[in-house]
Amino acid sequence: MGNIFIFSLIVGLASALVLIPFTKKPKTAEEKKSTFNTSGLIALIVLLVGGVFLFYYLSNLDRNPSSIWILAILITGAGAFFATGKERMIKVVLFLASLLAAIFFLTSFLFNADEKFETAKMTVQTEIETFDENETPASVPPKFARNKMRKAFGQVPNTSYYELGNLQIQKVNNEYVYIAPVEFSGFFKWFKGDSTPGYFTVSATDSNANPKFMKSEMVYTPSSFFNKDIERHIRMQYPQHIFYGDVQLEIDDEGKPFYVRTFGEFISARNGFEAKGIVVVDPKSGTTKAYSLKDAPAFIDGAVSPEAVSLHNSYFGNYINGFWNSKFSKSDVKLPSDEGTEANVSPIFDENGDMYYFTDFTSPKEGVDSMLGYSLTNSRTGEATYYTGNLEESYMDSQGALQIIEKKFIEKKWSGEMPIIYNFYGEASWLTPVMDANGFLQNYFIVSAANPEISAFGDTPNEALKIYKTALQRGGGSVDGSSKAEEKQTTGKVVRLYKEKTGDVSTVSFLLDDGRNFIISSENNPLSIYLQEDDEVEVVFLDTGETFLPVKELIIKGLE
């Protein structure tokens, strides 16, 4: 608190010195009465100091000298108006300097687009690695998780005092979970309650899991007031830091909660933002500590706020050829999607358990749902990779995937949420949870980004994936396996056989005498329609570990 008093006192005194006309000499009794006396000077200083204090206390604005540019214009302008002679000339110069600084601050976005683009520049690759079907993606939509937490809110003591806070995904003890703090439901509830009792957690991979309420007293929270407000508390400890994005709750592996907030630097002239570190707060004791991004505690997944990532996506997509190009010709401009679950980005995890923010980019041309690429930004380091996809194919963007789901379930009025692109069996594919009008999860829908007519849905992501594999074979899509699938070869006798015909394409499933099941499409192997029981075959397949192994090549002995 001391810093804000000192800052307010310095700004107030400086403002008074500029505002008061020291060289003005009254010539009449009326002018003498209007001249500042000691008591008037004190009153002015108190008014200015109090006004500065209230503004910075209520706004939580950083207390850097550059933040007072609006006040500087007003004070120097008024000071120049009341002054005379040489003093007026000096104060006019101060006014003009303040005005030039303001113009610089207000117009810097016109000139720093190149700097913003360089700050947000991404490594470019073609395609992400293929998805391992033995892994389970974190695919429970946040809206569904939030609904489940609300229904379990009766676990909270003194329920009427509280409400559910913001939802965030995190890895805790090698499990992917959603976390949401319990927050005060208003000022009087905070005044009487003083602290919140804990937070909820629920699985982000198992839609059947139930939420658990974890007791952990928190005093400094987003819903507290005055100095117990978590953002104000952070600002009091770090008055000159530049913060971007909301505070987020993170849980360590012992279940202890911490609030974190991203800080960084302006690109130039109080415009733009580049993340540099985080502030971590113990919400019970109020203890705070700042870390650079590279030194952030290991349990923190979202060191870079989703808001900061979304901002950098905008820089990367819009400013490749400067600011004016982004407004007029729009050459090479690509717009980041707004379909993300957190500040227009969606958190996902890779096979190593590292969290990334996903965003797809589309064309600025209206009526076009073709995806130009997609990005993954590491949530701890801020390092990003932009994937162009197969340049020989046109990929559908996330909005197009959602529209297909809407049309698919138009009678039931179901809709998709949180579309994420994966590389399933070598095919760029959208995986999207499907929700009903009440926010309940109904199924998981997978559709090829390059061939929208190829799609499948199932009760779980893995079930949908198995059906999707068959749909790919029927539709002539590629089934190149996963990142861990090994190509193998075997021979044997067909024991059981099942053929399913869809249009002009047949899907052939067969069991060999070694007990393994295989599946192949006549689209990829036309002669497979002649397969019969007791046939001796040579099979080249992908050892995915699934019940039905995808076949790449099939040779039926004796069939020419």
Side-chain angles (χ1 to χ4, degrees):
M1 183 67 80
N3 183 281
I4 190 173
F5 279 129
I6 295 174
F7 182 82
S8 301
L9 183 61
I10 293 174
V11 173
L13 286 173
S15 299
L17 290 175
V18 174
L19 191 60
I20 297 171
F22 291 101
T23 59
K24 184 175 180 180
K25 297 180 180 180
K27 296 180 180 180
T28 66
E30 184 177 349
E31 288 177 330
K32 289 179 181 181
K33 292 179 182 179
S34 67
T35 303
F36 284 105
N37 52 34
T38 303
S39 59
L41 175 61
I42 294 174
L44 177 63
I45 293 174
V46 169
L47 182 64
L48 289 171
V49 171
V52 171
F53 174 85
L54 285 175
F55 174 78
Y56 280 92
Y57 183 80
L58 295 176
S59 69
N60 276 331
L61 188 66
D62 64 280
R63 296 193 278 278
N64 289 291
S66 61
S67 66
I68 64 172
W69 63 272
I70 295 179
L71 178 63
I73 293 175
L74 297 175
I75 293 298
T76 56
F81 177 80
F82 289 117
T84 58
K86 292 183 178 180
E87 182 183 348
R88 170 172 284 183
M89 293 179 61
I90 294 173
K91 291 182 177 179
V92 165
V93 171
L94 291 176
F95 172 70
L96 292 175
S98 300
L99 200 60
L100 288 173
I103 294 172
F104 177 59
F105 290 150
L106 292 173
T107 61
S108 60
F109 69 94
L110 299 174
F111 311 109
N112 65 3
D114 290 339
E115 294 179 69
K116 290 177 178 177
F117 178 77
E118 287 300 320
T119 300
K121 203 168 183 179
M122 304 181 187
T123 303
V124 178
Q125 294 186 19
T126 302
E127 200 76 82
I128 55 175
E129 291 185 359
T130 47
F131 180 80
D132 180 5
E133 58 280 296
N134 295 315
E135 298 288 338
T136 301
S139 53
V140 174
K143 184 178 180 180
F144 176 66
R146 189 173 184 82
N147 283 344
K148 297 192 77 169
M149 288 181 180
R150 283 175 173 168
K151 292 184 181 300
F153 211 73
Q155 301 177 38
V156 180
N158 298 319
T159 307
S160 62
Y161 276 56
Y162 309 107
E163 61 187 14
L164 197 63
N166 292 332
L167 202 69
Q168 182 182 341
I169 195 170
Q170 191 185 348
K171 184 182 69 172
V172 181
N173 289 319
N174 293 319
E175 293 184 359
Y176 305 126
V177 296
Y178 282 111
I179 298 165
V182 172
E183 299 283 4
F184 292 109
S185 59
F187 174 78
F188 292 105
K189 301 297 173 64
W190 165 78
F191 187 77
K192 294 183 68 176
D194 190 52
S195 64
T196 59
Y199 60 90
F200 276 96
T201 178
V202 68
S203 173
T205 58
D206 183 2
S207 60
N208 295 317
N210 292 318
K212 297 178 182 178
F213 174 68
M214 311 298 290
K215 292 183 179 180
S216 184
E217 183 183 7
M218 291 186 278
V219 176
Y220 297 86
T221 73
S223 58
S224 299
F225 289 83
F226 303 122
N227 287 357
K228 299 297 176 64
D229 178 289
I230 187 69
E231 291 190 8
R232 183 168 290 115
H233 178 71
I234 294 173
R235 173 56 70 200
M236 291 297 179
Q237 307 303 315
Y238 302 94
Q240 294 186 318
H241 278 46
I242 308 302
F243 295 102
Y244 196 86
D246 296 330
V247 292
Q248 298 191 93
L249 191 68
E250 295 266 358
I251 310 299
D252 67 13
D253 287 341
E254 284 71 46
K256 181 175 175 56
F258 293 87
Y259 275 107
V260 302
R261 197 175 190 196
T262 304
F263 70 84
E265 299 175 349
F266 293 120
I267 300 296
S268 63
R270 298 189 65 82
N271 183 264
F273 180 80
E274 182 179 7
K276 294 294 184 180
I278 59 168
V279 170
V280 181
V281 185
D282 183 334
K284 183 176 182 179
S285 66
T287 303
T288 63
K289 189 172 182 180
Y291 300 87
S292 63
L293 290 179
K294 65 182 180 63
D295 295 326
F299 72 88
I300 293 177
D301 290 307
V304 182
S305 68
E307 292 87 352
V309 174
S310 184
L311 186 68
H312 273 219
N313 286 337
S314 176
Y315 294 163
F316 177 77
N318 282 285
Y319 297 145
I320 186 170
N321 290 317
F323 174 79
W324 296 111
N325 177 75
S326 70
K327 298 299 180 183
F328 297 104
S329 62
K330 299 186 178 181
S331 174
D332 297 325
V333 167
K334 39 192 175 288
L335 301 181
S337 166
D338 59 0
E339 298 296 341
T341 58
E342 294 184 28
N344 297 333
V345 297
S346 294
I348 62 173
F349 291 86
D350 68 4
E351 67 277 5
N352 299 317
D354 297 325
M355 191 169 89
Y356 289 79
Y357 292 113
F358 168 83
T359 309
D360 66 299
F361 292 75
T362 189
S363 170
K365 187 176 181 179
E366 293 185 8
V368 176
D369 61 1
S370 177
M371 184 179 70
L372 301 180
Y374 53 97
S375 68
L376 291 176
T377 303
N378 189 294
S379 62
R380 283 180 56 87
T381 66
E383 295 177 357
T385 302
Y386 180 75
Y387 297 91
T388 61
N390 189 338
L391 297 178
E392 296 180 358
E393 295 180 336
S394 179
Y395 286 175
M396 170 179 59
D397 64 12
S398 57
Q399 186 61 43
L402 294 176
Q403 290 173 357
I404 288 178
I405 292 173
E406 185 177 346
K407 293 176 182 178
K408 182 77 173 181
F409 304 106
I410 189 169
E411 294 182 358
K412 297 181 179 180
K413 297 182 179 179
W414 293 353
S415 60
E417 181 179 325
M418 196 177 73
I420 303 292
I421 199 166
Y422 289 92
N423 188 345
F424 291 141
Y425 307 112
E427 186 87 5
S429 312
W430 288 102
L431 171 64
T432 309
V434 178
M435 314 280 288
D436 64 19
N438 296 315
F440 291 102
L441 180 64
Q442 294 300 323
N443 61 49
Y444 291 89
F445 190 88
I446 305 177
V447 59
S448 168
N451 303 291
E453 67 277 4
I454 302 176
S455 64
F457 60 91
D459 292 336
T460 66
N462 284 340
E463 181 181 332
L465 190 58
K466 291 178 182 178
I467 301 172
Y468 182 63
K469 181 197 299 183
T470 304
L472 279 174
Q473 292 178 320
R474 290 173 179 168
S478 60
V479 183
D480 295 332
S482 72
S483 56
K484 298 180 182 179
E486 182 182 355
E487 186 176 303
K488 293 184 177 180
Q489 184 173 353
T490 188
T491 59
K493 179 186 291 187
V494 177
V495 179
R496 292 286 188 271
L497 181 71
Y498 177 77
K499 298 178 182 178
E500 181 183 5
K501 188 174 178 64
T502 304
D504 296 329
V505 179
S506 294
T507 302
V508 181
S509 306
F510 58 96
L511 171 67
L512 288 187
D513 53 5
D514 63 2
R516 288 184 292 186
N517 298 283
F518 299 88
I519 186 170
I520 190 169
S521 171
S522 63
E523 182 80 16
N524 300 325
N525 191 314
L527 296 181
S528 63
I529 61 173
Y530 297 126
L531 188 65
Q532 297 178 354
E533 292 180 4
D534 296 327
D535 278 347
E536 293 285 343
V537 294
E538 292 181 7
V539 180
V540 177
F541 66 96
L542 296 167
D543 190 9
T544 63
E546 297 174 289
T547 303
F548 286 88
L549 303 172
V551 176
K552 294 191 70 175
E553 296 180 23
L554 174 67
I555 299 175
I556 305 173
K557 293 182 179 180
L559 183 65
E560 297 182 1

